[in-house]
Amino acid sequence: MDECCLCGASVAMRTMYRTRYGIPGSIMTDFLWLLCLPNCTLCQLKRDIEKRKAMNAL
């Protein structure tokens, strides 16, 4: 992903997902979102995954 590694499976998962689907951002913004608003961030990721599944985009 050409970015430095920060600890945390959630950061890695969000960064990988964002990179796979061309969603703008960086590993640092992923880390900060998960640090400040972890529940909201993970709910957002879950909603996006479900939306893509419903559209058969995964």
Side-chain angles (χ1 to χ4, degrees), residues 1-30:
M1 288 182 260
D2 295 301
E3 299 186 38
C4 66
C5 180
L6 296 174
C7 297
S10 296
V11 174
M13 178 176 57
R14 181 176 163 94
T15 301
M16 191 165 83
Y17 186 82
R18 183 183 46 72
T19 303
R20 175 180 288 163
Y21 293 106
I23 300 168
S26 70
I27 195 169
M28 185 55 76
T29 58
D30 295 337

Side-chain angles (χ1 to χ4, degrees), residues 36-54:
C36 297
L37 299 165
N39 293 337
C40 294
T41 304
L42 294 175
C43 285
Q44 177 191 38
L45 181 60
K46 184 178 186 293
R47 280 193 315 270
D48 194 75
I49 290 170
E50 289 174 352
K51 180 180 172 184
R52 289 179 192 276
K53 279 184 183 178

